[in-house]
Amino acid sequence: MDSKQVEIEVHSTLRDVSAEEWDACADPEHTFGARNANPFVTHRFLSALEESGSVGPGTGWHPRYLTVRGEDGIAAAAPIYVKEHSQGEYVFDHNWAHAYEQAGGRYYPKLQSAVPFTPVTGPRFLGRKDWQGNAQAALTQAMVQIADDNGLSSAHITFCTAEEAETGKQLGLSHRTGQQFHWLNEHYGDFDDFLAKLSSRKRKNIRKERARAQQFGGDIVALTGDDIQPQHWDAMWQFYQDTGARKWGTPYLTRAFFDVVHDTMRDDVLLVLAIRDGLPVAGAMNFIGRDALFGRYWGCVEDHPCLHFELCYYQAMDWAISNGLASVEAGAQGEHKLARGYLPVTTHSLHWIRDAGFRDAVDRFLEAEREAVSQDVEVLTAWGPFKKTTEEDHQ
């Protein structure tokens, strides 16, 4: 595609972009009837955030979706937001904002390419099959130009892929790393196959936790698609509010978000609920990708030992094994996941800072941070629960 034939467009609503054109960029390898590789960059997920009022006026997340349009339609796209704060991002730059403003600058608003409230790695520079090689350069240039022309302090691309991070460095962006814990399905036939790979002590501990979780006095069910009913969303909203109030003060998502997801995405969702006497007392919400299960929200109205581990981690593993998924991503942070088979992986983000002096200071910080993250990943991987030797299994 000739660059002279393209036009960069900025959209304040995804209603201005057809779902077919957006999704052709979001998942260019998608085939009819298959799941999307990453549900969070689909038109329907981003639209659910917008239509429910989870982003938009009053939220500090103002959509500015970018598209690259050629003679034959949209060739590339990116989910972009003007941000008035740093909440709901999970790549923390509050200290940057404080330092910038202490020096007399204005950090907010800033420009952010992200999936709001979703610390899940995925593509941020979306491109059709015939334009994937050019998508990132064109969208990065447009994003930086918009930030610069409007006097914004910075532009950020969070939880991008490792490939995007490498290309971003070549384009002159600052590179930041972080850490999460993911579980990998090594072609296990069942959960016992997974347990057989662990050291004896870790294996016994997991079995004890699973047995103890079952003592809450009810049944654990895994629901997806049409098996999910409106009352299940009522329960999930209650759980989400409780967890959100404790973690963030105010939950990010609105109640309407769950209704829109039920209408447009329930086939992409797995709810794992602990039900006693017909009422859910705890639950975990996951999104289903083509190769991965993404754990998102958890909550409860009663505290029961080990029920969190069972619903969020072990049930997710069971479901992934049964459905042939390669991994489970259990969200941000949480070294307690290590003992349960989730190993550390590196996450990536890219940053453009308008002020050259501040950019140099950030780059020095990021260099030291990357080294620390790399060492943490190496150490924590070595501390993982998997058997190192045959003798270890008998200790």
Side-chain angles (χ1 to χ4, degrees):
M1 181 178 289
D2 190 337
S3 60
K4 296 180 180 179
Q5 297 176 303
V6 304
E7 178 182 0
I8 303 291
E9 298 176 324
V10 182
H11 309 272
S12 60
T13 173
L14 211 52
R15 290 189 292 271
D16 293 342
V17 183
S18 78
E20 181 180 5
E21 286 187 298
W22 182 277
D23 288 343
C25 298
D27 192 358
E29 303 298 329
H30 184 259
T31 57
F32 181 77
R35 293 192 182 278
N36 287 105
N38 188 301
F40 303 107
V41 291
T42 61
H43 191 280
R44 59 188 179 276
F45 183 86
L46 297 170
S47 293
L49 293 171
E50 185 183 332
E51 297 300 326
S52 67
S54 299
V55 300
T59 69
W61 289 82
H62 302 286
R64 297 294 186 269
Y65 310 103
L66 293 186
T67 58
V68 178
R69 184 178 294 276
E71 293 179 352
D72 55 350
I74 292 175
I80 308 291
Y81 300 85
V82 174
K83 289 294 307 296
E84 296 175 356
H85 50 65
S86 293
Q87 298 170 6
E89 297 171 9
Y90 302 93
V91 176
F92 301 114
D93 63 348
H94 300 88
N95 288 339
W96 300 4
H98 180 71
Y100 196 76
E101 291 170 0
Q102 285 288 101
R106 184 185 178 201
Y107 195 75
Y108 305 108
K110 62 179 183 175
L111 210 57
Q112 188 93 14
S113 178
V115 177
F117 327 122
T118 308
V120 171
T121 291
R124 298 295 177 258
F125 303 102
L126 317 177
R128 283 187 337 213
K129 272 186 177 182
D130 60 334
W131 221 60
Q132 282 183 285
N134 300 316
Q136 184 166 350
L139 291 164
T140 298
Q141 182 179 2
M143 191 175 177
V144 169
Q145 186 79 44
I146 290 169
D148 200 22
D149 288 349
N150 289 277
L152 303 183
S153 69
S154 52
H156 310 265
I157 302 98
T158 46
F159 292 102
C160 60
T161 66
E163 294 77 15
E164 288 173 331
E166 192 60 38
T167 300
K169 289 190 292 182
Q170 296 171 13
L171 293 171
L173 300 178
S174 301
H175 176 219
R176 190 175 193 183
T177 58
Q179 176 187 288
Q180 285 186 349
F181 293 87
H182 298 175
W183 178 81
L184 302 180
N185 181 4
E186 301 291 351
H187 306 289
Y188 300 125
D190 55 26
F191 196 83
D192 283 340
D193 276 356
F194 157 67
L195 290 179
K197 298 292 184 179
L198 305 185
S199 67
S200 176
R201 184 169 59 86
K202 297 297 185 182
R203 183 165 62 243
K204 290 177 182 177
N205 184 65
I206 289 176
R207 283 176 173 155
K208 287 180 181 178
E209 287 185 342
R210 298 205 75 177
R212 196 170 186 194
Q214 296 290 339
Q215 295 173 7
F216 79 98
D219 298 312
I220 295 174
V221 298
L223 306 172
T224 189
D226 291 340
D227 289 334
I228 302 175
Q229 298 298 311
Q231 65 267 25
H232 298 137
W233 292 115
D234 291 337
M236 199 65 233
W237 167 245
Q238 188 178 11
F239 302 150
Y240 174 73
Q241 278 187 301
D242 177 68
T243 301
R246 284 185 283 106
K247 281 190 174 182
W248 316 302
T250 301
Y252 296 134
L253 300 174
T254 65
R255 175 65 180 86
F257 172 80
F258 295 89
D259 292 332
V260 177
V261 166
H262 178 76
D263 291 340
T264 64
M265 295 193 70
R266 60 183 178 271
D267 288 338
D268 301 299
V269 170
L270 171 70
L271 292 186
V272 181
L273 301 175
I275 299 177
R276 190 183 64 242
D277 298 328
L279 297 175
V281 299
M285 181 178 177
N286 308 266
F287 282 85
I288 310 167
R290 188 151 63 234
D291 298 310
L293 186 66
F294 303 97
R296 294 302 302 115
Y297 308 114
W298 141 269
C300 63
V301 293
E302 297 177 1
D303 290 326
H304 293 278
C306 301
L307 198 55
H308 171 258
F309 301 144
E310 178 66 22
L311 298 190
C312 294
Y313 308 143
Y314 304 140
Q315 287 285 328
M317 295 176 188
D318 271 334
W319 203 89
I321 292 170
S322 297
N323 290 271
L325 299 184
S327 63
V328 178
E329 299 189 20
Q333 305 172 337
E335 291 187 5
H336 61 278
K337 298 168 186 173
L338 187 67
R340 290 156 186 93
Y342 289 73
L343 294 179
V345 299
T346 302
T347 61
H348 303 271
S349 61
L350 296 165
H351 308 269
W352 174 84
I353 307 293
R354 188 165 180 263
D355 182 273
F358 192 67
R359 180 169 62 247
D360 288 342
V362 167
D363 283 341
R364 290 194 296 273
F365 165 79
L366 293 180
E367 182 178 3
E369 187 184 50
R370 287 193 301 270
E371 179 62 27
V373 168
S374 177
Q375 291 178 0
D376 281 350
V377 169
E378 183 177 352
V379 170
L380 289 171
T381 299
W383 283 354
F386 294 90
K387 290 185 290 188
K388 309 298 188 298
T389 65
T390 304
E391 290 77 12
E392 182 180 356
D393 188 43
H394 300 290
Q395 291 177 356

